[in-house]
Amino acid sequence: MSAHSASAPRALDAGSVSQGLHAATAPQQQPVVSPRSARPAPGFTEPGRRRRALRYAGVTVALALAAVALWWAMVLVGSTWYSPAEVVAVIAGRDVPGASFAVGQLRLPRALLGVLAGLAFGIAGRTSQTMLRNQLASPDVIGITSGASTAAVFAILVLGWSGMRVNLLALGCGLGTALIIYLLSGSGSTQGGRLILIGIGISAMFSSVISYLQLRASIYSVADAMRWLSGSLADAGWDQVPLLGGAVVVLGGTLLALSRELTALSLGEETATGLGVAVARTRLLLLLSTVALAAFATAATGPIAFVAFLAGPVTARLVGRTDRSLLLPSALMGAVIVLAADLAGQHLFPTNLPVGVVTGIVGAPYLLVQLIRLNREGASA
């Protein structure tokens, strides 16, 4: 009895081991995956990626062609029509009676300055909106251009300056104002919101200073100041083109080179750090380049209203969902807005309107719509 009972467990153990070995060597049954769960998310399939890439390229090319067409319209259309052959001859340096002055000294610098200012405002606006993750965070809305405007008005009304000296003083004060806003905003995750609020407050303060200077000045000087404040290409000259052109190439090129880091920052500081981005250094470099670019553009043309604010959101609606940077198409959109607004101001109204007045007519309602939409989203959150 005892011998039989002792052998029974050993037999049971051998059977268990053989079953375990069979189970280990048998092919594992794969879990059943339903077709719905195996289907990729819309837009992330390979055809979806191709469609997004084609749409991005199509919008970028269309904006570039529109900017070129508007530039040519700026050069060709005026009180006197000149043929493309005459314009090309003037560009080549040949003397064409009538066209050499009208095109070479008036229209060409105006068109070039309009393109450069549009590129600068467009890329600066999109960079600040992406970095601060707020569509209201454009240089003109948060007060970066207000310091430049106040300095220019002071130079015109009090110091009696004109020309390049006004532009240089406006540039220096614009950079100084941006530095003050940055220092007052502090650091941390809430820096972006504080920067916007402080910028709006400083902009309101400078607006009061400008109003005071206008009240104390003579009526003749106020007209010059108002023309500058409205944002105008009427006083464009060749001496302004190299300065703004160099700023667009250097500072705009820096922002385009940092577009990948900018996209990572838009996902949040923690995510950007996990992706290997030096958050503090990258943010400071982006902010300095954005501020300087906006200051250079404002110093050259005055504060052309809402171009920096409009270019990024309008481009985002045209491109749709994409994982690519929108800096380049936003810059082209800025150029399109400035050139189209200047053409409209010259030829579509009973009197000539500065480009900033036309962009203000379009941009102010869009700003109100954005504020209403953001307010509704905040209320429903």
PDB file of all heavy atoms in Angstrom, residues 2 37 76 99 119 160 162 167 256 259 272 310 325 331 365:
ATOM      1  N   SER A   2       1.857   1.243   0.852  1.00  0.00           N
ATOM      2  CA  SER A   2       2.714   2.433   0.924  1.00  0.00           C
ATOM      3  C   SER A   2       3.548   2.601  -0.301  1.00  0.00           C
ATOM      4  O   SER A   2       3.782   3.705  -0.780  1.00  0.00           O
ATOM      5  CB  SER A   2       3.612   2.360   2.169  1.00  0.00           C
ATOM      6  OG  SER A   2       4.441   1.220   2.077  1.00  0.00           O
ATOM      7  N   SER A  37      -9.929  47.761 -34.697  1.00  0.00           N
ATOM      8  CA  SER A  37      -8.800  48.160 -33.861  1.00  0.00           C
ATOM      9  C   SER A  37      -7.503  48.164 -34.626  1.00  0.00           C
ATOM     10  O   SER A  37      -6.551  48.850 -34.257  1.00  0.00           O
ATOM     11  CB  SER A  37      -8.700  47.229 -32.652  1.00  0.00           C
ATOM     12  OG  SER A  37      -8.470  45.888 -33.104  1.00  0.00           O
ATOM     13  N   LEU A  76       4.162  97.398 -62.064  1.00  0.00           N
ATOM     14  CA  LEU A  76       3.600  97.760 -63.363  1.00  0.00           C
ATOM     15  C   LEU A  76       2.477  98.793 -63.258  1.00  0.00           C
ATOM     16  O   LEU A  76       2.338  99.660 -64.124  1.00  0.00           O
ATOM     17  CB  LEU A  76       3.066  96.511 -64.071  1.00  0.00           C
ATOM     18  CG  LEU A  76       4.090  95.439 -64.457  1.00  0.00           C
ATOM     19  CD1 LEU A  76       3.377  94.218 -65.012  1.00  0.00           C
ATOM     20  CD2 LEU A  76       5.089  95.982 -65.465  1.00  0.00           C
ATOM     21  N   ALA A  99      10.221 105.862 -67.159  1.00  0.00           N
ATOM     22  CA  ALA A  99      10.192 104.664 -66.318  1.00  0.00           C
ATOM     23  C   ALA A  99      11.366 104.604 -65.353  1.00  0.00           C
ATOM     24  O   ALA A  99      11.244 104.022 -64.267  1.00  0.00           O
ATOM     25  CB  ALA A  99      10.177 103.420 -67.189  1.00  0.00           C
ATOM     26  N   LEU A 119       7.267  89.476 -45.273  1.00  0.00           N
ATOM     27  CA  LEU A 119       7.981  88.273 -44.851  1.00  0.00           C
ATOM     28  C   LEU A 119       8.365  88.353 -43.375  1.00  0.00           C
ATOM     29  O   LEU A 119       8.201  87.374 -42.621  1.00  0.00           O
ATOM     30  CB  LEU A 119       9.237  88.077 -45.705  1.00  0.00           C
ATOM     31  CG  LEU A 119       9.040  87.734 -47.184  1.00  0.00           C
ATOM     32  CD1 LEU A 119      10.377  87.737 -47.904  1.00  0.00           C
ATOM     33  CD2 LEU A 119       8.361  86.385 -47.345  1.00  0.00           C
ATOM     34  N   GLY A 160      12.289 116.545 -34.309  1.00  0.00           N
ATOM     35  CA  GLY A 160      12.265 117.039 -35.681  1.00  0.00           C
ATOM     36  C   GLY A 160      13.060 116.196 -36.654  1.00  0.00           C
ATOM     37  O   GLY A 160      13.496 116.692 -37.694  1.00  0.00           O
ATOM     38  N   SER A 162      13.843 112.952 -39.332  1.00  0.00           N
ATOM     39  CA  SER A 162      13.176 112.293 -40.450  1.00  0.00           C
ATOM     40  C   SER A 162      14.128 111.269 -41.042  1.00  0.00           C
ATOM     41  O   SER A 162      15.325 111.266 -40.738  1.00  0.00           O
ATOM     42  CB  SER A 162      12.741 113.307 -41.523  1.00  0.00           C
ATOM     43  OG  SER A 162      13.876 113.970 -42.062  1.00  0.00           O
ATOM     44  N   ASN A 167      14.140 105.695 -38.202  1.00  0.00           N
ATOM     45  CA  ASN A 167      14.099 104.242 -38.264  1.00  0.00           C
ATOM     46  C   ASN A 167      15.054 103.604 -37.252  1.00  0.00           C
ATOM     47  O   ASN A 167      14.705 102.614 -36.587  1.00  0.00           O
ATOM     48  CB  ASN A 167      14.444 103.763 -39.676  1.00  0.00           C
ATOM     49  CG  ASN A 167      13.440 104.230 -40.711  1.00  0.00           C
ATOM     50  OD1 ASN A 167      12.325 104.609 -40.365  1.00  0.00           O
ATOM     51  ND2 ASN A 167      13.830 104.229 -41.968  1.00  0.00           N
ATOM     52  N   LEU A 256      13.950  79.867 -39.353  1.00  0.00           N
ATOM     53  CA  LEU A 256      13.682  78.680 -40.166  1.00  0.00           C
ATOM     54  C   LEU A 256      14.571  77.515 -39.748  1.00  0.00           C
ATOM     55  O   LEU A 256      14.136  76.357 -39.737  1.00  0.00           O
ATOM     56  CB  LEU A 256      13.888  79.001 -41.647  1.00  0.00           C
ATOM     57  CG  LEU A 256      12.850  79.913 -42.300  1.00  0.00           C
ATOM     58  CD1 LEU A 256      13.254  80.245 -43.728  1.00  0.00           C
ATOM     59  CD2 LEU A 256      11.467  79.280 -42.278  1.00  0.00           C
ATOM     60  N   SER A 259      13.112  75.735 -36.768  1.00  0.00           N
ATOM     61  CA  SER A 259      11.694  75.376 -36.898  1.00  0.00           C
ATOM     62  C   SER A 259      11.386  74.035 -36.242  1.00  0.00           C
ATOM     63  O   SER A 259      10.311  73.847 -35.665  1.00  0.00           O
ATOM     64  CB  SER A 259      11.305  75.349 -38.373  1.00  0.00           C
ATOM     65  OG  SER A 259      12.088  74.408 -39.090  1.00  0.00           O
ATOM     66  N   ALA A 272       9.380  68.751 -25.100  1.00  0.00           N
ATOM     67  CA  ALA A 272      10.538  69.273 -25.827  1.00  0.00           C
ATOM     68  C   ALA A 272      11.843  68.815 -25.180  1.00  0.00           C
ATOM     69  O   ALA A 272      12.803  68.451 -25.874  1.00  0.00           O
ATOM     70  CB  ALA A 272      10.469  70.791 -25.889  1.00  0.00           C
ATOM     71  N   LEU A 310      -2.452  87.986 -38.547  1.00  0.00           N
ATOM     72  CA  LEU A 310      -3.276  87.275 -39.521  1.00  0.00           C
ATOM     73  C   LEU A 310      -2.535  86.163 -40.247  1.00  0.00           C
ATOM     74  O   LEU A 310      -3.123  85.130 -40.576  1.00  0.00           O
ATOM     75  CB  LEU A 310      -3.826  88.255 -40.561  1.00  0.00           C
ATOM     76  CG  LEU A 310      -4.927  89.213 -40.135  1.00  0.00           C
ATOM     77  CD1 LEU A 310      -5.186  90.239 -41.235  1.00  0.00           C
ATOM     78  CD2 LEU A 310      -6.202  88.453 -39.817  1.00  0.00           C
ATOM     79  N   SER A 325       6.525  72.524 -40.269  1.00  0.00           N
ATOM     80  CA  SER A 325       6.545  73.892 -39.774  1.00  0.00           C
ATOM     81  C   SER A 325       5.823  74.813 -40.749  1.00  0.00           C
ATOM     82  O   SER A 325       5.948  74.671 -41.972  1.00  0.00           O
ATOM     83  CB  SER A 325       7.992  74.359 -39.592  1.00  0.00           C
ATOM     84  OG  SER A 325       8.045  75.742 -39.324  1.00  0.00           O
ATOM     85  N   ALA A 331       5.336  83.252 -43.729  1.00  0.00           N
ATOM     86  CA  ALA A 331       6.099  84.397 -44.231  1.00  0.00           C
ATOM     87  C   ALA A 331       5.585  84.829 -45.600  1.00  0.00           C
ATOM     88  O   ALA A 331       5.406  86.033 -45.867  1.00  0.00           O
ATOM     89  CB  ALA A 331       7.587  84.038 -44.310  1.00  0.00           C
ATOM     90  N   PRO A 365     -11.844  92.991 -37.434  1.00  0.00           N
ATOM     91  CA  PRO A 365     -12.942  92.022 -37.275  1.00  0.00           C
ATOM     92  C   PRO A 365     -12.449  90.601 -37.000  1.00  0.00           C
ATOM     93  O   PRO A 365     -13.053  89.865 -36.224  1.00  0.00           O
ATOM     94  CB  PRO A 365     -13.685  92.109 -38.616  1.00  0.00           C
ATOM     95  CG  PRO A 365     -13.332  93.437 -39.163  1.00  0.00           C
ATOM     96  CD  PRO A 365     -11.929  93.685 -38.724  1.00  0.00           C
TER      97      PRO A 365
END
